[in-house]
Amino acid sequence: MRILLVEDDPLLISGLLTALRHAHYGVEHVADGVSATQALKVNHFDLVILDLGLPRMDGLDVLRHVRAAGNDVPVLILSAREGTRDRITGLDLGADDYLVKPFELDELLARIRVIERRRSGVTVNQLQLGALKMDLASFAVYWHEQRIDLQRMEFMLLKHLVESPQRVFSRAQLEESIYGWGDGAESNTIDVHVHHIRKKTSADVIKTVRGVGYRLGEVEA
Ligand code: CA
């Protein structure tokens, strides 16, 4: 899951980036409203965390802009305590949820999981493919009931595939979903992650689609 963080408070930015990356999300950050609309025009995101008080274009205008462009990306608003009217306007403009500053990081992460579940139509924090189970709250992965140790990128890659089990992804699409802008991923990195995931589980978990990329495989329970 790829998140765009739109926030101009330097203290919040570093804390949020650290927490979100630690929680295995791919995160990009911009600090003003105009950059936010530009980023959303050219890149796919699965969630926008949107501060309302922003330089150049305020958060509500960003939201108006994004929805008017037909982009239905989930949006979670961050607002000041006194901003009740803005929160209501934001929800009416199509925001999915809001948090009032200051908030607990754990609550933000829980609300992100709710949005993720809504998006994927799953009602629990667990993704399952036969003998493979992923717990999205604790980042634990189980293979035949045995806990296995996946690196952060491996977890993100596998989760991305499990969330869209029918879909074939190119290497470029997978790279985009798990790396940030300009992280300069080596062209063979996705193959390396896939190799490691298969080694830790089974070769059947991820299927190679020749000439295209990868898709989720089929695994017996
Ligand atoms: Ca602000």
Side-chain angles (χ1 to χ4, degrees):
M1 166 137 146
R2 201 158 175 242
I3 298 176
L4 178 65
L5 171 65
V6 190
E7 172 61 66
D8 63 324
D9 177 339
L11 279 179
L12 257 184
I13 294 165
S14 65
L16 287 175
L17 287 178
T18 305
L20 291 168
R21 287 182 178 143
H22 188 72
H24 299 75
Y25 294 113
V27 195
E28 305 305 335
H29 167 252
V30 291
D32 69 83
V34 173
S35 303
T37 59
Q38 283 164 352
L40 285 159
K41 206 181 291 173
V42 292
N43 293 282
H44 171 82
F45 291 96
D46 303 300
L47 173 68
V48 182
I49 299 176
L50 181 64
D51 180 31
L52 290 186
L54 290 169
R56 296 178 80 196
M57 180 192 282
D58 82 29
L60 289 177
D61 282 335
V62 172
L63 184 55
R64 267 187 205 103
H65 206 274
V66 165
R67 293 298 186 240
N71 187 341
D72 64 354
V73 59
V75 173
L76 194 158
I77 284 175
L78 303 180
S79 90
R81 187 180 298 280
E82 63 276 15
T84 314
R85 191 173 303 156
D86 284 347
R87 291 197 286 279
I88 294 168
T89 306
L91 291 172
D92 284 341
L93 284 172
D96 295 74
D97 200 357
Y98 67 84
L99 270 176
V100 176
K101 294 177 185 176
F103 51 82
E104 297 284 329
L105 281 172
D106 282 344
E107 182 172 10
L108 174 68
L109 295 174
R111 286 178 189 241
I112 292 173
R113 290 195 293 271
V114 171
I115 290 173
E116 275 185 281
R117 292 198 299 261
R118 221 181 275 152
R119 187 176 65 105
S120 60
V122 182
T123 52
V124 290
N125 279 325
Q126 278 209 347
L127 294 174
Q128 185 161 6
L129 168 77
L132 178 76
K133 274 187 210 136
M134 303 181 80
D135 188 314
L136 304 183
S138 65
F139 314 115
V141 181
Y142 300 88
W143 175 246
H144 287 286
E145 309 297 334
Q146 296 287 318
R147 178 141 185 191
I148 56 170
D149 192 22
L150 292 189
Q151 300 297 313
R152 191 169 83 95
M153 294 299 182
E154 295 164 10
F155 183 93
M156 288 166 72
L157 174 61
L158 186 57
K159 177 166 165 252
H160 200 68
L161 292 170
V162 173
E163 282 172 341
S164 301
Q166 309 301 328
R167 209 176 133 190
V168 178
F169 293 94
S170 68
R171 285 175 180 79
Q173 285 169 331
L174 291 172
E175 272 169 22
E176 199 196 70
S177 74
I178 67 173
Y179 297 104
W181 296 331
D183 269 4
E186 304 280 326
S187 59
N188 65 353
T189 322
I190 293 293
D191 300 333
V192 173
H193 292 325
V194 167
H195 171 76
H196 287 149
I197 294 167
R198 283 174 173 159
K199 240 173 106 182
K200 291 170 184 178
T201 56
S202 138
D204 298 330
V205 166
I206 298 174
K207 216 176 143 192
T208 303
V209 182
R210 209 166 284 280
V212 187
Y214 294 105
R215 58 167 288 172
L216 194 67
E218 280 158 32
V219 180
E220 305 264 306

